[in-house]
Amino acid sequence: MSDHRHNAIAYAAIILERADGAVLFMERKDTGFADGLLALPGGLVDPGELLIEACARETREEIATDVATADLRTAYVSQVLGDTGAPVIGWYFHTAAWTGDPTNAEPDQCARLAWLDPTDLPPDVEPTDATAVTAWHTRAHPTPWS
C-alpha cells in the first residue's frame, strides 16, 4: 500500500495580456528556482487560500498590479514532479483586465520585467511557463500529464 501523506505543491501564475497581445514575464533572480529565466508572475498557494486568490495576491505582491478574481479565467493546468518527488500542480490564469502599472515590486527576486510576444517566446523562458503560454495562445488542448 502506498503512503498518500505527501501533499502536492500548488502554485498559481498569471498570463497578463496587454492590449497588443504581449504577455508579461519576470526575469527570476536569487530564488533557487529558474534563476536567470523569464517566468510568469506567480507563486505558491498559501494554506487556507484558493488558487485564484493566490494568483491575485501574487500579482499584487510581484508586480504591484491588482486583478479581480472575477476577471481571471483558467488558461492551463500543469503537473510535474518536483525535486522531492512530490507532485507540483501549476494553475495558470489569464486576464487582460487589471489596475495599476505593472512594476517590479520584488527587485530582490526579479531582475526585470519584459512584455513578450506569445507567438515568439525566446529560449530563456522557463519551460513550463512557455508551454502554458503557448497552449493558452493557440487554444490547444492540454497535453498529456508529464
Side-chain angles (χ1 to χ4, degrees), residues 25-83:
F25 284 82
M26 307 171 67
E27 183 181 334
R28 298 178 61 89
K29 76 170 188 179
D30 299 331
T31 67
F33 174 76
D35 290 332
L37 297 181
L38 294 163
L40 296 167
L44 298 177
V45 178
D46 288 341
E49 185 176 48
L50 297 174
L51 284 156
I52 201 164
E53 295 167 341
C55 184
R57 175 185 50 77
E58 288 285 346
T59 302
R60 188 172 42 260
E61 290 175 359
E62 293 187 353
I63 59 171
T65 302
D66 289 316
V67 295
T69 57
D71 291 330
L72 295 172
R73 299 291 178 263
T74 299
Y76 188 76
V77 179
S78 70
Q79 177 179 305
V80 298
L81 292 177
D83 296 340

Side-chain angles (χ1 to χ4, degrees), residues 36 39 94 104 109:
H94 165 264
N104 182 359
Q109 296 179 4

